[in-house]
Amino acid sequence: MIQALTLNTNKNQTNPELSRVELRDSDKGEILEAFLLNDNGTPYDLTGKSLVFNENKDGNKFVSDDNVKIVDERIGHITYQVHDQVHSARGTAWFDIIDKSNGSKIDSTTDFYIEVRDGLKCTVYNTTYIADLEKLKHQMEEMIKQADGELKAELQKAENSLNQELQNFRNQYNSLSADFQNQFKVAQNARQQDYNNQKNAINQDWTNNKNQIWGQWNNDKSNIDKQAQDTINSIKSNAKQVLDKDQADWNAKQHSWDDTFSRIIQEWQVKTNSLNSTVQDLKTKFSNIINELTDLMNKKLPDMNAKTDAVQEKVDQLRASLGQIDWTTFARKTDNSGGVNLLPNTSTFRLFSTGHYGDSDAYNGISIDPRSNYSSDTNINLVKTKIAHVWGDKAKNAPLVIPGGVYLPAGTYTLSFLARTNGRDNSPVFHLGLYSDWTNNHGGAPLGKSDAVNNKWARHQITFKVPEDYYHINLRIQQYDDAGIPGDSLYFANLKLESGSIATDWCQSYLDFDRLDGRHDPVDAPDFNTLTSTGTYMITSTDKGRNYPTANWGILKVDNAHDSIIEQTYYDKHQDAVYYRQCADGTWKLWRRYANQNYVDDNLNKIKFRNQALDKDGNKFDNFQSIAQQPDGSYRLSTFDSDWTAYHVNWLLNHTKAYDINDNADLNNYKQPGFYNASGTKNIKNAPVGSWFALIVNANQWNGEQTLYDTNSYLTYIRTWGANGFTAWHQIAYQDDLNVKIVKGFNIETNEPDGLVTMKANAPCFVDQAVLANFANAHRDVRNHTDYRYPTDQALNTAINLNSDPYLDTGIYKIGNCATINGPWPDTSRRWYYLTVIKYDDNTIYQTVDQGPERFVRTVSKTTNSYPQWDQFATMNRVKDLSDRLQGFTMQQTMFQHRVDYENPSGTISNQTVDFNAYKETGILKVVNCYINNGPYKSNYRHTVFLKITNLDGQTQYQTVYEGDNLYGRKLYNGKGQWHKYTNTPI
């Protein structure tokens, strides 16, 4: 019996003290006793009423159960046998009070809190339970039974068949698992015993040999010089025999162990395949039963539609009575299974870190602290692990980085954790995201975000979906922005990554538990860097993991020496291979493979040596060679027969070093390619110089060349030889030794040079005079058509006709004192001028006459016999004179317009005071809303009028005022005059 509760129905009380019930998750069938009170504290009368127990549990699950008994209606005394689902998770509960007459809810109690403590690990799975749903299930079963008794029999038969098949499967699996574990343990113990025996034998052999060696040494030390070598050789021989025998024994044992383990794994695989076949048989049988039931429903229950309508009506009634339930939670829950923590080391945070996932020069850090350091924290009782304390100057600089990596198949996952900030009560909250290398490569958005994190310990979660199978590395919890961290610190505990959308209570990863016999559960696609607990692991899907030595399945053995030195040995299932490596002070070394003869031979045969070599013709090629074993057991890599590089280098060295020329030498005998020196050599024959020179010979089997450098005169000589013997020596001239004559000037009028100068050969380039003549001709032709100093033709003291040749061809013509026919003048008086002609074709000929400041132009056509009149260009003087006249006319026109045009008056005055005596110049004045002095008015009001002034002479003016229909006028003489109003009689 659980402690009794007193529950009030007054839910308006502020901050009521919440009643608390403590359960253990492995207990069952406990009775909860309660006494119900009215608002005023009197006992609640439960006559004619029933009760329903309700609970909202962690994980968004709930319980609704009407299995509540009324012990005494008058005093509100009730009991409730707690359903198993209440034991599965903590939550908030209450009782609804129902009117039995109509089933309606009339009242409810205040909340009370249910705390669930840890018990045995075989507890019920946390889910939703509704008693009315169970009733509906029973009602539906009764209706089905009523439809046909045969259906019940078939269902019972199917259930019995399935139960028997499932029991057979369980028995088969348990037997197989026990057999596998026993075989594996026996093999492991045998291997360990063999290892100990071998080690003891080696130690004993070493001790025996050591004693023998020291005994020989002590016996022979008096005659050591004579017998030392024999003793050493004997020692080496004995030691080698012992070591060879030990190595052979070790290899045999190793092979035996590998065969044993391989056999066990193969048997396990065969039996596993058999189990898979059994499971498939179960699926087939279950499918057949479903088909039989479907056939039964279709053929033997024709009135089932009516029954279904009745069932649906019941469902509708249940929905109406439980309107507060989210019925979408009864959807298919394939993504809501979890519970297994996929993250190792979450209890100690070993190898967890913070990194530079924000600014490269970030100020940040991490410490792993015991829970006792924070015993005064609010809700510290929720913390079950060590605490990761992360700090940084910005939010993005303080991530919590999860070590290693996690392989996640496509699906739904939930990361839950405890967290708080170091801020004050009014500090901003954080929304942490989950990032990895996958998010880095897919736009940077997090896999998911948490609910708000504040400065008090609380449970938070990130539920997310993975769209593809992926091995996530650099997994980290982080708010990736530049916001400041409240108090510069974040605290984490109770990390758990699990499959599904439900966050269950924290537990250690299965990778964190050591079995007493050193065994671990099979591990799929692990990061080998995280498998650090001592023991033996069967590894599957290795190629999907990280830091593995080979992609094949196998067995991993781990020896952990207090985390400072960790050794891993991996036995490949498919190859005769063993790999090992060590981790010292947190740094993993490379995987290495234990060598055996087959492995050495196989791998050496795979080695290809590639170098760049020369063939016998001196051409380079890629030279590939394999390592070959020799009869003596050694291995040789040979390029002697294929690579001619050494031969060519030898030839080059022999033919490029300098040789001395001896006295009385004949240079006709020096036909071998190479370098030769004569240093004061005497009586040299067939040499062009004395006894100090260098000789270079280049030749083939038919002919060749000798080049000689005189070291005294710095002169160079060359000769060749062939079938007819040697040619004479020829001196090679230097550029400074060559002189040529250079044309420094050229008369384009006579096509003759103006002078020749002797210069060195390195002077400016040479030009043929014929080329210069052509250039001169072209230049004169262009000049005579474009340069007035060199006209194309001249005419003096004669008569010319500008409508005839040559004055219709392109060129410049100088005309002097000539009578011009068809010129731009009306007479043929003698004149001096230039005629410029531009001819495109006979149809378009431009003629321009320039005479002093005047220019005349026209376009003629010989094709159409068109010779139009000449047009004269206007000079600036004429244009300016015309402009001045036009400007004067415009000013006079403007003055006239201002005097007669009321739309363009001489002036306009607005909103001022105007004295009409001041206006004496001829014109029109526009007055707008002005006070008028000396006007035709007696009263002082604002007026809008036109004033027209005509100045007769300096003393007399006529003024006329126009205002609407009124007209006033006066004669102003010496500033005085009487205004008169003109009659405005209507017509």
Side-chain angles (χ1 to χ4, degrees):
M1 177 74 73
I2 305 172
Q3 68 271 26
L5 298 177
T6 300
L7 301 175
N8 201 301
T9 57
N10 183 6
K11 295 173 287 299
N12 294 324
Q13 295 179 357
T14 59
N15 297 324
E17 183 177 357
L18 195 64
S19 299
R20 192 179 192 88
V21 174
E22 294 190 354
L23 306 174
R24 191 173 298 282
D25 57 7
S26 58
D27 292 340
K28 290 185 179 181
E30 294 183 284
I31 303 298
L32 172 66
E33 183 179 21
F35 293 87
L36 276 56
L37 302 178
N38 289 304
D39 295 348
N40 55 9
T42 60
Y44 197 106
D45 189 355
L46 295 176
T47 303
K49 302 176 180 63
S50 63
L51 291 98
V52 177
F53 170 85
N54 297 288
E55 181 190 16
N56 285 327
K57 301 190 296 177
D58 285 4
N60 296 325
K61 301 298 179 182
F62 51 88
V63 172
S64 178
D65 190 5
D66 60 358
N67 187 27
V68 181
K69 293 183 179 180
I70 299 178
V71 179
D72 190 338
E73 343 181 278
R74 297 174 297 105
I75 62 174
H77 183 196
I78 63 173
T79 60
Y80 168 61
Q81 184 174 4
V82 178
H83 192 274
D84 292 349
Q85 280 300 328
V86 179
H87 288 267
S88 64
R90 59 177 176 264
T92 302
W94 69 96
F95 288 95
D96 286 337
I97 303 174
I98 309 299
D99 189 341
K100 285 185 178 180
S101 62
N102 54 21
S104 63
K105 174 182 173 181
I106 60 176
D107 210 342
S108 64
T109 68
T110 56
D111 295 339
F112 57 97
Y113 188 78
I114 295 179
E115 175 66 32
V116 177
R117 297 187 176 277
D118 291 342
L120 296 176
K121 294 303 181 181
C122 54
T123 57
V124 67
Y125 181 71
N126 180 24
T127 186
T128 293
Y129 171 77
I130 302 176
D132 282 349
L133 290 179
E134 296 296 319
K135 292 180 181 179
L136 176 62
K137 174 184 175 183
H138 296 314
Q139 290 175 354
M140 292 173 67
E141 289 176 352
E142 288 297 321
M143 294 172 69
I144 292 174
K145 291 176 184 178
Q146 293 173 9
D148 194 339
E150 186 178 353
L151 178 61
K152 177 182 178 182
E154 290 294 332
L155 289 173
Q156 186 63 44
K157 179 181 177 181
E159 181 178 358
N160 294 338
S161 177
L162 287 176
N163 287 339
Q164 184 59 45
E165 292 292 341
L166 288 174
Q167 186 59 43
N168 292 340
F169 176 78
R170 294 190 191 98
N171 295 338
Q172 185 178 357
Y173 180 84
N174 292 335
S175 175
L176 174 62
S177 178
D179 179 63
F180 177 81
Q181 293 177 13
N182 291 333
Q183 288 190 53
F184 203 93
K185 186 173 183 179
V186 169
Q188 181 67 16
N189 292 338
R191 177 177 179 171
Q192 187 65 40
Q193 186 60 45
D194 284 344
Y195 174 81
N196 293 335
N197 294 340
Q198 188 72 15
K199 182 178 67 174
N200 294 335
I202 291 173
N203 291 335
Q204 187 60 45
D205 287 342
W206 167 246
T207 301
N208 295 337
N209 279 288
K210 182 180 67 175
N211 294 334
Q212 180 183 356
I213 291 168
W214 281 107
Q216 284 184 304
W217 173 262
N218 292 327
N219 293 333
D220 297 338
K221 62 182 177 180
S222 60
N223 195 19
I224 190 170
D225 293 333
K226 179 179 179 181
Q227 299 180 359
Q229 188 62 43
D230 294 337
T231 302
I232 292 173
N233 293 336
S234 175
I235 292 171
K236 288 183 177 179
S237 177
N238 292 337
K240 184 176 186 304
Q241 291 176 4
V242 172
L243 291 177
D244 289 344
K245 179 180 181 302
D246 291 340
Q247 182 64 47
D249 294 341
W250 175 264
N251 291 340
K253 294 293 184 181
Q254 182 74 26
H255 186 70
S256 174
W257 293 337
D258 291 343
D259 288 344
T260 299
F261 285 117
S262 177
R263 177 183 57 77
I264 294 173
I265 293 175
Q266 290 173 359
E267 290 177 3
W268 169 259
Q269 187 64 50
V270 171
K271 294 179 180 179
T272 301
N273 293 338
S274 175
L275 286 179
N276 292 336
S277 177
T278 302
V279 172
Q280 186 61 42
D281 291 341
L282 283 175
K283 292 182 179 179
T284 303
K285 292 178 181 178
F286 186 79
S287 178
N288 293 336
I289 292 173
I290 294 298
N291 292 335
E292 292 172 4
L293 293 179
T294 302
D295 182 70
L296 180 66
M297 295 280 287
N298 292 335
K299 294 181 179 180
K300 298 184 180 181
L301 299 178
D303 61 339
M304 199 61 194
N305 289 336
K307 301 296 183 181
T308 303
D309 293 339
V311 171
Q312 184 61 47
E313 182 179 357
K314 272 291 184 182
V315 171
D316 293 338
Q317 293 176 3
L318 182 60
R319 284 180 175 174
S321 64
L322 299 175
Q324 75 276 18
I325 298 175
D326 181 9
W327 290 88
T328 60
T329 59
F330 293 95
R332 185 170 176 263
K333 295 181 174 58
T334 57
D335 65 339
N336 287 343
S337 61
V340 176
N341 193 347
L342 303 177
L343 299 179
N345 302 325
T346 56
S347 62
T348 61
F349 286 102
R350 193 174 70 85
L351 301 180
F352 279 66
S353 65
T354 188
H356 296 296
Y357 293 96
D359 300 330
S360 59
D361 58 347
Y363 168 75
N364 59 1
I366 185 173
S367 65
I368 309 302
D369 304 330
R371 177 178 176 274
S372 58
N373 289 6
Y374 304 91
S375 57
S376 60
D377 284 4
T378 302
N379 298 331
I380 190 61
N381 59 302
L382 300 177
V383 177
K384 299 179 180 180
T385 68
K386 286 188 175 182
I387 295 174
H389 174 205
V390 183
W391 65 87
D393 52 350
K394 297 177 183 177
K396 67 182 181 182
N397 293 337
L400 179 62
V401 183
I402 299 170
V406 180
Y407 177 75
L408 298 179
T412 302
Y413 297 88
T414 298
L415 175 69
S416 58
F417 53 92
L418 296 178
R420 73 170 179 88
T421 68
N422 199 28
R424 300 181 181 274
D425 292 342
N426 57 353
S427 298
V429 296
F430 263 43
H431 291 274
L432 297 166
L434 183 62
Y435 299 84
S436 72
D437 65 324
W438 190 91
T439 63
N440 297 343
N441 300 326
H442 291 78
L447 293 169
K449 283 194 173 182
S450 73
D451 49 336
V453 177
N454 57 23
N455 63 334
K456 292 181 175 61
W457 283 109
R459 189 181 187 189
H460 307 278
Q461 70 181 61
I462 301 173
T463 299
F464 58 96
K465 289 188 176 181
V466 175
E468 59 179 318
D469 296 356
Y470 192 78
Y471 193 95
H472 293 259
I473 59 175
N474 295 332
L475 204 64
R476 58 197 184 275
I477 307 172
Q478 183 178 25
Q479 178 171 305
Y480 197 83
D481 55 35
D482 291 329
I485 304 174
D488 298 330
S489 294
L490 291 169
Y491 300 88
F492 296 92
N494 291 21
L495 259 70
K496 184 176 185 180
L497 176 62
E498 56 192 309
S499 174
S501 59
I502 300 172
T504 60
D505 288 344
W506 176 85
C507 62
Q508 285 184 290
S509 171
Y510 66 97
L511 298 175
D512 294 335
F513 291 101
D514 289 345
R515 304 294 195 268
L516 293 178
D517 59 1
R519 290 178 295 165
H520 293 267
D521 289 337
V523 183
D524 185 62
D527 183 347
F528 277 63
N529 286 2
T530 64
L531 301 180
T532 57
S533 298
T534 298
T536 304
Y537 305 77
M538 186 173 74
I539 308 298
T540 59
S541 301
T542 312
D543 57 334
K544 296 180 180 179
R546 302 281 294 179
N547 299 307
Y548 52 84
T550 176
N552 297 324
W553 292 18
I555 297 174
L556 176 70
K557 181 180 178 182
V558 181
D559 292 311
N560 189 320
H562 204 264
D563 285 342
S564 60
I565 298 179
I566 304 171
E567 185 175 80
Q568 290 182 335
T569 306
Y570 189 71
Y571 303 90
D572 192 319
K573 171 186 175 183
H574 298 293
Q575 297 181 359
D576 183 15
V578 180
Y579 302 85
Y580 72 98
R581 67 170 180 168
Q582 286 186 342
C583 176
D585 298 325
T587 301
W588 283 101
K589 298 179 181 179
L590 296 177
W591 283 101
R592 298 184 181 276
R593 178 172 175 172
Y594 282 112
N596 58 57
Q597 190 62 39
N598 293 333
Y599 172 76
V600 173
D601 293 343
D602 291 344
N603 284 276
L604 286 178
N605 290 334
K606 296 176 182 177
I607 295 175
K608 294 289 186 180
F609 179 79
R610 174 188 179 225
N611 73 322
Q612 182 175 268
L614 297 178
D615 60 17
K616 64 180 180 179
D617 296 323
N619 300 316
K620 69 178 181 179
F621 70 100
D622 276 350
N623 190 9
F624 292 93
Q625 296 295 325
S626 299
I627 296 177
Q629 188 173 17
Q630 303 303 304
D632 62 356
S634 63
Y635 293 88
R636 179 179 298 175
L637 177 67
S638 175
T639 61
F640 188 89
D641 297 327
S642 60
D643 186 1
W644 288 65
T645 303
Y647 170 81
H648 289 292
V649 172
N650 176 263
W651 183 94
L652 182 63
L653 292 176
N654 288 331
H655 291 84
T656 56
K657 68 180 181 180
Y659 298 91
D660 291 333
I661 298 176
N662 299 322
D663 294 342
N664 304 313
D666 186 351
L667 294 189
N668 286 357
N669 297 328
Y670 286 78
K671 296 183 177 181
Q672 187 68 23
F675 298 92
Y676 305 88
N677 286 316
S679 303
T681 308
K682 303 175 181 179
N683 301 324
I684 300 177
K685 299 178 182 179
N686 295 307
V689 297
S691 56
W692 295 86
F693 59 85
L695 180 69
I696 299 176
V697 179
N698 186 17
N700 56 32
Q701 57 181 328
W702 299 287
N703 48 51
E705 175 189 273
Q706 289 180 336
T707 303
L708 186 146
Y709 302 92
D710 186 358
T711 56
N712 292 325
S713 65
Y714 305 106
L715 297 178
T716 302
Y717 301 87
I718 189 171
R719 70 171 179 170
T720 62
W721 78 84
N724 298 324
F726 281 89
T727 63
W729 287 100
H730 294 279
Q731 179 184 342
I732 297 177
Y734 291 102
Q735 191 177 44
D736 293 341
D737 298 333
L738 301 178
N739 296 324
V740 294
K741 290 183 178 181
I742 301 297
V743 176
K744 298 297 288 184
F746 194 83
N747 191 329
I748 65 174
E749 302 298 338
T750 63
N751 284 5
E752 294 292 337
D754 283 344
L756 296 176
V757 177
T758 300
M759 300 182 68
K760 296 293 185 181
N762 59 358
C765 59
F766 311 125
V767 179
D768 192 336
Q769 292 191 33
V771 176
L772 288 177
N774 292 335
F775 170 75
N777 292 335
H779 174 72
R780 284 198 304 274
D781 182 67
V782 174
R783 181 193 68 183
N784 292 345
H785 287 82
T786 58
D787 194 339
Y788 284 90
R789 297 174 298 175
Y790 304 94
T792 308
D793 197 4
Q794 299 186 57
L796 299 174
N797 304 317
T798 183
I800 63 173
N801 185 353
L802 298 187
N803 283 3
S804 60
D805 291 329
Y807 306 110
L808 297 177
D809 288 331
T810 298
I812 298 174
Y813 302 90
K814 184 177 182 181
I815 310 300
N817 196 33
C818 292
T820 303
I821 302 171
N822 293 316
W825 303 281
D827 54 46
T828 58
S829 303
R830 292 181 180 272
R831 291 178 169 81
W832 296 77
Y833 60 89
Y834 280 96
L835 172 66
T836 305
V837 181
I838 303 174
K839 179 181 179 181
Y840 289 96
D841 51 39
D842 285 343
N843 190 44
T844 306
I845 303 171
Y846 297 99
Q847 289 180 316
T848 302
V849 170
D850 292 288
Q851 184 189 35
E854 296 182 336
R855 169 171 284 191
F856 305 89
V857 296
R858 71 171 179 172
T859 303
V860 303
S861 174
K862 294 169 65 175
T863 302
T864 60
N865 197 28
S866 172
Y867 300 94
Q869 295 295 319
W870 293 84
D871 293 322
Q872 182 177 7
F873 277 88
T875 63
M876 288 301 298
N877 290 337
R878 294 183 179 179
V879 173
K880 185 176 184 304
D881 180 63
L882 180 61
S883 176
D884 291 344
R885 293 183 183 181
L886 181 60
Q887 184 177 2
F889 174 76
T890 302
M891 292 178 62
Q892 292 178 0
Q893 178 67 22
T894 301
M895 293 174 61
F896 175 77
Q897 186 176 17
H898 288 336
R899 292 178 180 179
V900 300
D901 190 351
Y902 286 92
E903 291 185 358
N904 294 281
S906 302
T908 300
I909 301 176
S910 302
N911 303 312
Q912 299 181 24
T913 299
V914 182
D915 186 357
F916 280 178
N917 285 354
Y919 294 92
K920 299 178 180 180
E921 295 296 329
T922 300
I924 297 175
L925 177 67
K926 184 177 181 180
V927 179
V928 180
N929 195 33
C930 293
Y931 293 105
I932 299 175
N933 295 332
N934 295 311
Y937 308 108
K938 295 181 179 180
S939 58
N940 190 15
Y941 294 109
R942 291 184 179 273
H943 297 270
T944 299
V945 301
F946 281 102
L947 173 64
K948 182 178 180 181
I949 307 103
T950 303
N951 187 12
L952 187 61
D953 52 37
Q955 294 179 326
T956 305
Q957 295 85 28
Y958 296 103
Q959 291 183 332
T960 305
V961 171
Y962 298 90
E963 184 180 24
D965 294 334
N966 298 320
L967 179 64
Y968 307 91
R970 72 171 177 172
K971 173 184 177 183
L972 190 63
Y973 181 76
N974 288 332
K976 297 181 180 180
Q978 178 64 45
W979 286 98
H980 298 276
K981 181 177 182 182
Y982 296 98
T983 303
N984 57 351
T985 303
I987 299 176

